[in-house]
């Protein structure tokens, strides 16, 4: 199984499949410190909500093993490590969920060596559970995909974006394992092309029948009846079912609703932020303007042009047919259906 986030025990380092270079180059990034891990998250060498949570958990292990921290009082050093990793990307709640979980696991620790050992056990558990949750999402999601259908997906919610298997792409993996015949349209997903570079790559590796389209082609395809379902991942889902996901998700949901096509969100329970209710409460990351002015290092717009570059948008619950979770399919999305599935106290604090 494809694993984008691997902790190498012999070398005490985190090994990340560099997602900025795929599919042209397959290169591993080695992180020995919490600073290197934080940089890899900011630079999106590792990306996707669950994957950055897993990477941050291992980043804490690296921080606790980092001799530069050993001269400081334990509690202050641990807080600094957690704060650094939490400052990397603001929208995906899995990052904060993983850091909170590490804090809880280490609450009784007071020395670096014991804490590092406990942290590694907890990070391994977070990773293993994420893979299990993805497999479960896949099984539930595959029950919605009928033989012969064509579905559309946006961005990359695959093995690369998780500890393995994927959420939205886990649905396709599970459907294939069940012997279903189906096709997939893959949105290229500007500005950083996670669909073209990463989802298309995963589909080719898996030999799933997939067709790449530019983002602006989705509307015509949906109107022409060529798409029977849309499935995307999520970066944060509020208690009332507002979903933050890759920019361009909201217009797809509108198109799907207008044309009577089911719109599904696939996410593990670590993506739910039960401390907030509405979309406006989600902090949307804004990224470097050159991500829009350039494509793959090639300038495509005047350097002087003003740019707006939010990394995510928010889809309201009335546009979502169902949310496919590891615990089952939530449908319809009402304010009380999510707590019933997820539990009201999944998170202590969002970011
Ligand atoms: O900016 P990215 O590439 O980290 O955004 C990723 C997404 O929006 C994914 O759809 C989401 O994290 C779900 S991944 C299972």
């Amino acid at each position: 199984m494809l694993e984008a986030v691997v902790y190498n025990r012999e070398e005490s380092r985190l090994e990340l499949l560099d997602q900025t270079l795929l599919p042209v180059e397959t290169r591993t990034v080695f992180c020995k410190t919490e600073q290197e891990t934080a940089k890899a998250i900011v630079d999106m060498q590792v990306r996707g909500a669950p994957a950055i949570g897993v990477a941050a958990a291992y980043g804490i292990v690296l921080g606790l093993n980092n001799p530069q921290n050993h001269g400081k009082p334990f509690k202050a050093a641990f807080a600094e490590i957690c704060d650094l990793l939490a400052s990397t990307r603001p929208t995906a709640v899995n990052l904060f969920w993983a850091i909170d979980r590490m804090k809880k696991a280490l609450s009784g620790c007071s020395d670096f060596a014991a804490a590092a050992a406990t942290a590694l056990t907890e990070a391994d558990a977070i990773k293993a559970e994420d893979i299990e949750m993805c497999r479960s999402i896949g099984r539930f999601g595959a029950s919605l995909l009928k033989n012969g259908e064509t579905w559309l997906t946006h961005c990359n919610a695959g093995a690369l974006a998780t500890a393995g298997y994927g959420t939205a792409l886990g649905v396709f993996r599970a459907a294939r394992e069940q012997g279903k015949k189906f096709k997939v349209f893959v949105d290229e997903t500007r500005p950083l092309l996670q669909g073209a570079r990463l989802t298309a790559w995963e589909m080719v590796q898996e030999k799933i029948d997939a067709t790449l389209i530019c983002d602006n082609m989705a509307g015509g395809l949906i109107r022409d009846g060529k798409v029977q379902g849309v499935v995307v991942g999520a970066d944060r889902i509020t208690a009332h079912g507002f979903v933050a996901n890759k920019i361009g998700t909201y217009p797809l949901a509108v198109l799907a609703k207008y044309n009577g096509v089911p719109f599904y969100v696939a996410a593990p329970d670590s993506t739910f932020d039960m401390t907030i209710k509405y979309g406006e409460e989600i902090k949307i990351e804004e990224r470097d303007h050159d991500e829009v002015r350039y494509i793959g290092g090639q300038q495509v717009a005047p350097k002087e042009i003003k740019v707006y570059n939010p990394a995510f948008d928010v889809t309201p619950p009335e546009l979502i047919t169902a949310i496919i979770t590891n615990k089952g399919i939530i449908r319809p999305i009402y304010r009380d259906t999510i707590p019933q599935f997820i539990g009201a106290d999944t998170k202590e604090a969002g970011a």
Side-chain angles (χ1 to χ4, degrees), residues 148-186:
E149 285 189 338
T150 299
W151 281 25
L152 172 74
T153 191
H154 188 67
C155 192
N156 173 266
L160 292 167
T162 59
Y165 203 75
T167 56
L169 298 196
V171 172
F172 299 139
R173 284 196 164 90
R176 226 254 320 256
E177 283 161 20
Q178 292 172 9
K180 286 188 174 162
K181 297 265 180 290
F182 60 93
K183 292 181 182 173
V184 180
F185 281 117
V186 178

mmCIF file of all heavy atoms in Angstrom, residues 148-186:
data_model
loop_
_atom_site.group_PDB
_atom_site.id
_atom_site.type_symbol
_atom_site.label_atom_id
_atom_site.label_comp_id
_atom_site.label_asym_id
_atom_site.label_seq_id
_atom_site.Cartn_x
_atom_site.Cartn_y
_atom_site.Cartn_z
ATOM 1 N N GLY A 148 -21.202 0.597 -13.338
ATOM 2 C CA GLY A 148 -21.388 1.315 -14.599
ATOM 3 C C GLY A 148 -21.423 2.824 -14.447
ATOM 4 O O GLY A 148 -21.473 3.540 -15.445
ATOM 5 N N GLU A 149 -21.388 3.323 -13.208
ATOM 6 C CA GLU A 149 -21.473 4.774 -13.014
ATOM 7 C C GLU A 149 -20.123 5.461 -13.251
ATOM 8 O O GLU A 149 -19.063 4.837 -13.185
ATOM 9 C CB GLU A 149 -21.956 5.090 -11.591
ATOM 10 C CG GLU A 149 -23.448 4.838 -11.420
ATOM 11 C CD GLU A 149 -24.003 5.350 -10.099
ATOM 12 O OE1 GLU A 149 -23.231 5.524 -9.134
ATOM 13 O OE2 GLU A 149 -25.229 5.564 -10.039
ATOM 14 N N THR A 150 -20.213 6.790 -13.474
ATOM 15 C CA THR A 150 -19.015 7.624 -13.554
ATOM 16 C C THR A 150 -19.129 8.688 -12.476
ATOM 17 O O THR A 150 -20.149 9.368 -12.388
ATOM 18 C CB THR A 150 -18.912 8.293 -14.940
ATOM 19 O OG1 THR A 150 -18.827 7.265 -15.936
ATOM 20 C CG2 THR A 150 -17.682 9.181 -15.017
ATOM 21 N N TRP A 151 -18.104 8.801 -11.651
ATOM 22 C CA TRP A 151 -18.092 9.809 -10.584
ATOM 23 C C TRP A 151 -16.965 10.805 -10.833
ATOM 24 O O TRP A 151 -16.005 10.513 -11.567
ATOM 25 C CB TRP A 151 -17.904 9.134 -9.217
ATOM 26 C CG TRP A 151 -19.162 8.518 -8.657
ATOM 27 C CD1 TRP A 151 -20.250 8.078 -9.361
ATOM 28 C CD2 TRP A 151 -19.443 8.256 -7.264
ATOM 29 N NE1 TRP A 151 -21.189 7.559 -8.497
ATOM 30 C CE2 TRP A 151 -20.725 7.658 -7.208
ATOM 31 C CE3 TRP A 151 -18.748 8.447 -6.088
ATOM 32 C CZ2 TRP A 151 -21.313 7.274 -6.003
ATOM 33 C CZ3 TRP A 151 -19.319 8.074 -4.888
ATOM 34 C CH2 TRP A 151 -20.592 7.491 -4.842
ATOM 35 N N LEU A 152 -17.110 11.937 -10.193
ATOM 36 C CA LEU A 152 -16.121 13.004 -10.325
ATOM 37 C C LEU A 152 -15.493 13.266 -8.964
ATOM 38 O O LEU A 152 -16.183 13.231 -7.935
ATOM 39 C CB LEU A 152 -16.836 14.273 -10.820
ATOM 40 C CG LEU A 152 -16.046 15.577 -10.851
ATOM 41 C CD1 LEU A 152 -15.043 15.597 -11.990
ATOM 42 C CD2 LEU A 152 -17.001 16.756 -11.008
ATOM 43 N N THR A 153 -14.183 13.553 -8.943
ATOM 44 C CA THR A 153 -13.553 13.952 -7.694
ATOM 45 C C THR A 153 -12.677 15.173 -7.909
ATOM 46 O O THR A 153 -12.307 15.490 -9.044
ATOM 47 C CB THR A 153 -12.765 12.780 -7.052
ATOM 48 O OG1 THR A 153 -12.384 13.152 -5.718
ATOM 49 C CG2 THR A 153 -11.507 12.430 -7.840
ATOM 50 N N HIS A 154 -12.377 15.860 -6.810
ATOM 51 C CA HIS A 154 -11.651 17.137 -6.852
ATOM 52 C C HIS A 154 -10.471 17.053 -5.904
ATOM 53 O O HIS A 154 -10.558 16.413 -4.857
ATOM 54 C CB HIS A 154 -12.618 18.247 -6.404
ATOM 55 C CG HIS A 154 -12.098 19.635 -6.567
ATOM 56 N ND1 HIS A 154 -11.869 20.208 -7.803
ATOM 57 C CD2 HIS A 154 -11.767 20.580 -5.657
ATOM 58 C CE1 HIS A 154 -11.430 21.451 -7.633
ATOM 59 N NE2 HIS A 154 -11.359 21.699 -6.341
ATOM 60 N N CYS A 155 -9.377 17.705 -6.254
ATOM 61 C CA CYS A 155 -8.173 17.723 -5.419
ATOM 62 C C CYS A 155 -7.633 16.293 -5.259
ATOM 63 O O CYS A 155 -7.862 15.431 -6.110
ATOM 64 C CB CYS A 155 -8.442 18.381 -4.072
ATOM 65 S SG CYS A 155 -6.924 18.759 -3.139
ATOM 66 N N ASN A 156 -6.937 16.036 -4.159
ATOM 67 C CA ASN A 156 -6.477 14.675 -3.880
ATOM 68 C C ASN A 156 -6.861 14.296 -2.462
ATOM 69 O O ASN A 156 -6.369 14.898 -1.499
ATOM 70 C CB ASN A 156 -4.953 14.534 -4.043
ATOM 71 C CG ASN A 156 -4.475 13.158 -3.591
ATOM 72 O OD1 ASN A 156 -4.075 12.973 -2.437
ATOM 73 N ND2 ASN A 156 -4.562 12.165 -4.450
ATOM 74 N N ALA A 157 -7.769 13.367 -2.350
ATOM 75 C CA ALA A 157 -8.157 12.808 -1.048
ATOM 76 C C ALA A 157 -7.842 11.322 -1.111
ATOM 77 O O ALA A 157 -8.684 10.465 -0.862
ATOM 78 C CB ALA A 157 -9.627 13.078 -0.767
ATOM 79 N N GLY A 158 -6.601 11.034 -1.472
ATOM 80 C CA GLY A 158 -6.182 9.658 -1.697
ATOM 81 C C GLY A 158 -5.218 9.164 -0.646
ATOM 82 O O GLY A 158 -5.096 9.735 0.447
ATOM 83 N N ALA A 159 -4.480 8.110 -0.996
ATOM 84 C CA ALA A 159 -3.464 7.560 -0.086
ATOM 85 C C ALA A 159 -2.444 8.636 0.260
ATOM 86 O O ALA A 159 -1.949 8.699 1.386
ATOM 87 C CB ALA A 159 -2.779 6.375 -0.748
ATOM 88 N N LEU A 160 -2.142 9.504 -0.689
ATOM 89 C CA LEU A 160 -1.145 10.553 -0.457
ATOM 90 C C LEU A 160 -1.600 11.556 0.597
ATOM 91 O O LEU A 160 -0.779 12.169 1.273
ATOM 92 C CB LEU A 160 -0.858 11.299 -1.772
ATOM 93 C CG LEU A 160 -0.133 10.491 -2.842
ATOM 94 C CD1 LEU A 160 -0.185 11.218 -4.179
ATOM 95 C CD2 LEU A 160 1.315 10.240 -2.429
ATOM 96 N N ALA A 161 -2.911 11.755 0.695
ATOM 97 C CA ALA A 161 -3.459 12.777 1.592
ATOM 98 C C ALA A 161 -3.778 12.223 2.981
ATOM 99 O O ALA A 161 -4.224 12.968 3.859
ATOM 100 C CB ALA A 161 -4.729 13.361 0.980
ATOM 101 N N THR A 162 -3.549 10.936 3.163
ATOM 102 C CA THR A 162 -3.901 10.258 4.415
ATOM 103 C C THR A 162 -2.710 9.382 4.841
ATOM 104 O O THR A 162 -1.647 9.437 4.221
ATOM 105 C CB THR A 162 -5.137 9.355 4.189
ATOM 106 O OG1 THR A 162 -4.819 8.400 3.158
ATOM 107 C CG2 THR A 162 -6.356 10.157 3.751
ATOM 108 N N ALA A 163 -2.929 8.554 5.858
ATOM 109 C CA ALA A 163 -1.866 7.604 6.215
ATOM 110 C C ALA A 163 -1.784 6.490 5.176
ATOM 111 O O ALA A 163 -0.779 5.774 5.097
ATOM 112 C CB ALA A 163 -2.139 7.028 7.596
ATOM 113 N N GLY A 164 -2.813 6.345 4.369
ATOM 114 C CA GLY A 164 -2.854 5.334 3.311
ATOM 115 C C GLY A 164 -4.283 5.064 2.900
ATOM 116 O O GLY A 164 -5.213 5.322 3.667
ATOM 117 N N TYR A 165 -4.510 4.607 1.678
ATOM 118 C CA TYR A 165 -5.802 4.191 1.138
ATOM 119 C C TYR A 165 -6.662 5.365 0.683
ATOM 120 O O TYR A 165 -7.240 5.344 -0.386
ATOM 121 C CB TYR A 165 -6.555 3.327 2.151
ATOM 122 C CG TYR A 165 -7.590 2.420 1.532
ATOM 123 C CD1 TYR A 165 -7.213 1.269 0.840
ATOM 124 C CD2 TYR A 165 -8.951 2.706 1.638
ATOM 125 C CE1 TYR A 165 -8.169 0.433 0.268
ATOM 126 C CE2 TYR A 165 -9.906 1.868 1.069
ATOM 127 C CZ TYR A 165 -9.514 0.725 0.395
ATOM 128 O OH TYR A 165 -10.460 -0.097 -0.165
ATOM 129 N N GLY A 166 -6.786 6.402 1.520
ATOM 130 C CA GLY A 166 -7.541 7.586 1.090
ATOM 131 C C GLY A 166 -8.975 7.588 1.558
ATOM 132 O O GLY A 166 -9.527 6.560 1.968
ATOM 133 N N THR A 167 -9.594 8.767 1.481
ATOM 134 C CA THR A 167 -10.999 8.914 1.866
ATOM 135 C C THR A 167 -11.871 8.866 0.601
ATOM 136 O O THR A 167 -12.462 7.828 0.296
ATOM 137 C CB THR A 167 -11.199 10.222 2.649
ATOM 138 O OG1 THR A 167 -10.738 11.328 1.869
ATOM 139 C CG2 THR A 167 -10.476 10.186 3.973
ATOM 140 N N ALA A 168 -11.907 9.969 -0.172
ATOM 141 C CA ALA A 168 -12.682 9.943 -1.425
ATOM 142 C C ALA A 168 -12.128 8.865 -2.367
ATOM 143 O O ALA A 168 -12.892 8.093 -2.970
ATOM 144 C CB ALA A 168 -12.656 11.311 -2.085
ATOM 145 N N LEU A 169 -10.802 8.793 -2.474
ATOM 146 C CA LEU A 169 -10.234 7.768 -3.364
ATOM 147 C C LEU A 169 -10.333 6.378 -2.739
ATOM 148 O O LEU A 169 -10.303 5.369 -3.450
ATOM 149 C CB LEU A 169 -8.786 8.086 -3.726
ATOM 150 C CG LEU A 169 -8.540 9.389 -4.496
ATOM 151 C CD1 LEU A 169 -7.155 9.388 -5.134
ATOM 152 C CD2 LEU A 169 -9.604 9.659 -5.551
ATOM 153 N N GLY A 170 -10.493 6.332 -1.410
ATOM 154 C CA GLY A 170 -10.735 5.054 -0.740
ATOM 155 C C GLY A 170 -12.054 4.440 -1.210
ATOM 156 O O GLY A 170 -12.190 3.214 -1.294
ATOM 157 N N VAL A 171 -13.019 5.312 -1.529
ATOM 158 C CA VAL A 171 -14.312 4.832 -2.050
ATOM 159 C C VAL A 171 -14.072 4.091 -3.372
ATOM 160 O O VAL A 171 -14.607 2.998 -3.607
ATOM 161 C CB VAL A 171 -15.283 6.017 -2.249
ATOM 162 C CG1 VAL A 171 -16.554 5.573 -2.965
ATOM 163 C CG2 VAL A 171 -15.612 6.678 -0.899
ATOM 164 N N PHE A 172 -13.213 4.679 -4.221
ATOM 165 C CA PHE A 172 -12.934 4.024 -5.517
ATOM 166 C C PHE A 172 -12.127 2.732 -5.310
ATOM 167 O O PHE A 172 -12.362 1.733 -5.971
ATOM 168 C CB PHE A 172 -12.173 4.981 -6.443
ATOM 169 C CG PHE A 172 -12.954 6.243 -6.755
ATOM 170 C CD1 PHE A 172 -12.323 7.478 -6.779
ATOM 171 C CD2 PHE A 172 -14.310 6.192 -7.021
ATOM 172 C CE1 PHE A 172 -13.035 8.641 -7.062
ATOM 173 C CE2 PHE A 172 -15.040 7.347 -7.304
ATOM 174 C CZ PHE A 172 -14.397 8.575 -7.319
ATOM 175 N N ARG A 173 -11.159 2.801 -4.376
ATOM 176 C CA ARG A 173 -10.350 1.590 -4.127
ATOM 177 C C ARG A 173 -11.255 0.450 -3.641
ATOM 178 O O ARG A 173 -11.158 -0.680 -4.116
ATOM 179 C CB ARG A 173 -9.282 1.880 -3.076
ATOM 180 C CG ARG A 173 -8.115 2.679 -3.615
ATOM 181 C CD ARG A 173 -6.892 2.623 -2.702
ATOM 182 N NE ARG A 173 -5.734 3.082 -3.437
ATOM 183 C CZ ARG A 173 -5.324 4.366 -3.486
ATOM 184 N NH1 ARG A 173 -5.958 5.296 -2.819
ATOM 185 N NH2 ARG A 173 -4.275 4.707 -4.208
ATOM 186 N N ALA A 174 -12.171 0.777 -2.711
ATOM 187 C CA ALA A 174 -13.052 -0.263 -2.158
ATOM 188 C C ALA A 174 -14.005 -0.785 -3.233
ATOM 189 O O ALA A 174 -14.255 -1.991 -3.316
ATOM 190 C CB ALA A 174 -13.830 0.297 -0.971
ATOM 191 N N ALA A 175 -14.533 0.124 -4.057
ATOM 192 C CA ALA A 175 -15.465 -0.306 -5.118
ATOM 193 C C ALA A 175 -14.754 -1.250 -6.077
ATOM 194 O O ALA A 175 -15.321 -2.258 -6.517
ATOM 195 C CB ALA A 175 -15.997 0.916 -5.871
ATOM 196 N N ARG A 176 -13.503 -0.935 -6.368
ATOM 197 C CA ARG A 176 -12.736 -1.811 -7.262
ATOM 198 C C ARG A 176 -12.496 -3.173 -6.602
ATOM 199 O O ARG A 176 -12.639 -4.234 -7.223
ATOM 200 C CB ARG A 176 -11.418 -1.145 -7.627
ATOM 201 C CG ARG A 176 -11.113 -1.229 -9.108
ATOM 202 C CD ARG A 176 -10.035 -2.230 -9.433
ATOM 203 N NE ARG A 176 -9.001 -2.164 -8.440
ATOM 204 C CZ ARG A 176 -7.833 -1.586 -8.620
ATOM 205 N NH1 ARG A 176 -7.587 -1.020 -9.775
ATOM 206 N NH2 ARG A 176 -6.938 -1.605 -7.676
ATOM 207 N N GLU A 177 -12.172 -3.142 -5.287
ATOM 208 C CA GLU A 177 -11.957 -4.413 -4.570
ATOM 209 C C GLU A 177 -13.232 -5.264 -4.567
ATOM 210 O O GLU A 177 -13.172 -6.484 -4.521
ATOM 211 C CB GLU A 177 -11.513 -4.129 -3.125
ATOM 212 C CG GLU A 177 -10.046 -3.723 -3.021
ATOM 213 C CD GLU A 177 -9.696 -3.010 -1.696
ATOM 214 O OE1 GLU A 177 -10.449 -3.152 -0.714
ATOM 215 O OE2 GLU A 177 -8.685 -2.308 -1.688
ATOM 216 N N GLN A 178 -14.392 -4.567 -4.614
ATOM 217 C CA GLN A 178 -15.677 -5.297 -4.640
ATOM 218 C C GLN A 178 -16.045 -5.757 -6.053
ATOM 219 O O GLN A 178 -17.123 -6.293 -6.272
ATOM 220 C CB GLN A 178 -16.793 -4.394 -4.097
ATOM 221 C CG GLN A 178 -16.661 -4.101 -2.608
ATOM 222 C CD GLN A 178 -17.655 -3.051 -2.133
ATOM 223 O OE1 GLN A 178 -18.560 -2.644 -2.872
ATOM 224 N NE2 GLN A 178 -17.492 -2.592 -0.903
ATOM 225 N N GLY A 179 -15.168 -5.462 -7.010
ATOM 226 C CA GLY A 179 -15.387 -5.922 -8.384
ATOM 227 C C GLY A 179 -16.306 -5.031 -9.196
ATOM 228 O O GLY A 179 -16.782 -5.436 -10.268
ATOM 229 N N LYS A 180 -16.581 -3.816 -8.700
ATOM 230 C CA LYS A 180 -17.470 -2.934 -9.453
ATOM 231 C C LYS A 180 -16.747 -2.336 -10.657
ATOM 232 O O LYS A 180 -15.545 -2.108 -10.615
ATOM 233 C CB LYS A 180 -17.975 -1.806 -8.553
ATOM 234 C CG LYS A 180 -19.018 -2.294 -7.570
ATOM 235 C CD LYS A 180 -19.660 -1.176 -6.812
ATOM 236 C CE LYS A 180 -20.789 -1.771 -5.966
ATOM 237 N NZ LYS A 180 -21.215 -0.887 -4.896
ATOM 238 N N LYS A 181 -17.531 -2.079 -11.704
ATOM 239 C CA LYS A 181 -16.999 -1.402 -12.896
ATOM 240 C C LYS A 181 -17.481 0.041 -12.835
ATOM 241 O O LYS A 181 -18.677 0.301 -12.689
ATOM 242 C CB LYS A 181 -17.547 -2.058 -14.167
ATOM 243 C CG LYS A 181 -17.131 -3.509 -14.343
ATOM 244 C CD LYS A 181 -15.889 -3.619 -15.229
ATOM 245 C CE LYS A 181 -15.451 -5.052 -15.411
ATOM 246 N NZ LYS A 181 -14.870 -5.689 -14.203
ATOM 247 N N PHE A 182 -16.565 0.970 -12.955
ATOM 248 C CA PHE A 182 -16.939 2.391 -12.882
ATOM 249 C C PHE A 182 -15.820 3.224 -13.496
ATOM 250 O O PHE A 182 -14.725 2.710 -13.774
ATOM 251 C CB PHE A 182 -17.160 2.808 -11.414
ATOM 252 C CG PHE A 182 -15.941 2.628 -10.562
ATOM 253 C CD1 PHE A 182 -15.043 3.666 -10.369
ATOM 254 C CD2 PHE A 182 -15.659 1.401 -9.971
ATOM 255 C CE1 PHE A 182 -13.903 3.489 -9.604
ATOM 256 C CE2 PHE A 182 -14.515 1.218 -9.201
ATOM 257 C CZ PHE A 182 -13.638 2.269 -9.018
ATOM 258 N N LYS A 183 -16.132 4.518 -13.705
ATOM 259 C CA LYS A 183 -15.136 5.440 -14.247
ATOM 260 C C LYS A 183 -15.068 6.676 -13.362
ATOM 261 O O LYS A 183 -16.032 6.982 -12.643
ATOM 262 C CB LYS A 183 -15.502 5.841 -15.675
ATOM 263 C CG LYS A 183 -15.384 4.687 -16.647
ATOM 264 C CD LYS A 183 -15.730 5.108 -18.056
ATOM 265 C CE LYS A 183 -15.644 3.882 -18.964
ATOM 266 N NZ LYS A 183 -16.119 4.143 -20.296
ATOM 267 N N VAL A 184 -13.965 7.380 -13.463
ATOM 268 C CA VAL A 184 -13.759 8.565 -12.618
ATOM 269 C C VAL A 184 -13.287 9.728 -13.479
ATOM 270 O O VAL A 184 -12.401 9.559 -14.332
ATOM 271 C CB VAL A 184 -12.682 8.266 -11.535
ATOM 272 C CG1 VAL A 184 -12.460 9.495 -10.648
ATOM 273 C CG2 VAL A 184 -13.070 7.059 -10.688
ATOM 274 N N PHE A 185 -13.891 10.911 -13.269
ATOM 275 C CA PHE A 185 -13.324 12.155 -13.794
ATOM 276 C C PHE A 185 -12.533 12.822 -12.675
ATOM 277 O O PHE A 185 -12.993 12.888 -11.525
ATOM 278 C CB PHE A 185 -14.423 13.123 -14.262
ATOM 279 C CG PHE A 185 -14.987 12.780 -15.614
ATOM 280 C CD1 PHE A 185 -16.325 12.425 -15.759
ATOM 281 C CD2 PHE A 185 -14.190 12.853 -16.755
ATOM 282 C CE1 PHE A 185 -16.851 12.120 -17.006
ATOM 283 C CE2 PHE A 185 -14.712 12.541 -18.009
ATOM 284 C CZ PHE A 185 -16.043 12.182 -18.136
ATOM 285 N N VAL A 186 -11.352 13.295 -13.018
ATOM 286 C CA VAL A 186 -10.465 13.927 -12.036
ATOM 287 C C VAL A 186 -10.293 15.398 -12.402
ATOM 288 O O VAL A 186 -9.752 15.718 -13.464
ATOM 289 C CB VAL A 186 -9.080 13.234 -12.040
ATOM 290 C CG1 VAL A 186 -8.122 13.918 -11.063
ATOM 291 C CG2 VAL A 186 -9.211 11.748 -11.727
#
